[in-house]
Amino acid sequence: MGYEIERKFLVKDERYKEQAFASSRICQGYICSGHGRTVRVRIRDARGYLTIKGPSTNGGLSRYEFEKEITLDEAEHLMQLCEPGLIDKTRYLVKSGQHTFEVDEFYGENEGLVIAEVELNSEDEPYEKPDFIGKEVTGDKRYYNAHLRLNPFTRWERK
């Protein structure tokens, strides 16, 4: 718990699936979100989590995060309190150098969107990008899960 520091990227192709050492299905909802703060309920495979995040700082690179594991039953009940719009995705874990990239493939109204994140210990910590990493979108609020539930990827205007 404390501050999370992460960089976020678009993914160019599906090579992450071949390189992944694990994957899990995630469904999450938001009890409340606004002013950069969120209270999230997540079911990851058969485990529940309650997460509170503060506003982003340093151009979206870091933010306060508190996470607590809760029972699956508690998570299922809390999902009933969530604001409209659930996030459904598969998370793939890919090792690259000393880091693990979390690659999220979205479903439903966010179908077609694939984002990779890497957590760092400091904002200037070096890391090795896997070959499937594309454009960096750190700090771009459109790619925050809380935003995607209200403004799904399939509704974005393509230019």
Side-chain angles (χ1 to χ4, degrees):
M1 282 182 264
Y3 272 84
E4 72 171 351
I5 301 168
E6 65 183 14
R7 299 186 87 96
K8 192 177 287 214
F9 305 88
L10 296 179
V11 173
K12 298 188 290 192
D13 56 51
E14 292 193 352
R15 286 179 280 178
Y16 64 91
K17 290 183 181 180
E18 300 163 5
Q19 298 173 31
F21 66 85
S23 67
S24 56
R25 190 66 178 250
I26 295 173
C27 179
Q28 66 189 40
Y30 292 82
I31 292 174
C32 63
S33 60
H35 308 288
R37 295 169 179 83
T38 60
V39 178
R40 177 184 76 201
V41 179
R42 174 181 279 175
I43 297 174
R44 184 174 183 165
D45 296 328
R47 299 172 80 165
Y49 300 89
L50 181 64
T51 306
I52 301 168
K53 292 189 176 195
S56 295
T57 60
N58 301 329
L61 194 56
S62 60
R63 68 193 296 195
Y64 177 80
E65 178 183 62
F66 170 87
E67 185 169 77
K68 175 125 175 93
E69 186 168 350
I70 59 177
T71 68
L72 180 58
D73 186 57
E74 289 169 331
E76 289 170 343
H77 281 90
L78 287 173
M79 282 287 193
Q80 305 305 309
L81 298 175
C82 290
E83 298 171 339
L86 295 177
I87 297 293
D88 183 19
K89 61 188 179 181
T90 295
R91 173 165 289 169
Y92 297 86
L93 302 179
V94 178
K95 188 87 168 139
S96 181
Q98 300 298 313
H99 296 89
T100 297
F101 280 73
E102 297 176 337
V103 181
D104 290 343
E105 178 182 359
F106 291 84
Y107 305 115
E109 288 193 288
N110 288 300
E111 184 85 33
L113 179 61
V114 183
I115 298 174
E117 297 176 350
V118 61
E119 288 198 22
L120 305 171
N121 292 315
S122 68
E123 294 178 4
D124 59 353
E125 180 180 357
Y127 57 93
E128 295 176 36
K129 287 186 196 174
D131 51 6
F132 55 80
I133 293 295
K135 176 185 171 187
E136 183 167 5
V137 293
T138 301
D140 187 336
K141 292 180 179 15
R142 294 178 302 161
Y143 296 99
Y144 290 10
N145 285 272
H147 186 271
L148 288 168
R149 71 179 182 78
L150 294 173
N151 301 287
F153 182 69
T154 57
R155 295 190 207 156
W156 293 9
E157 256 187 59
R158 304 292 193 277
K159 294 183 179 175

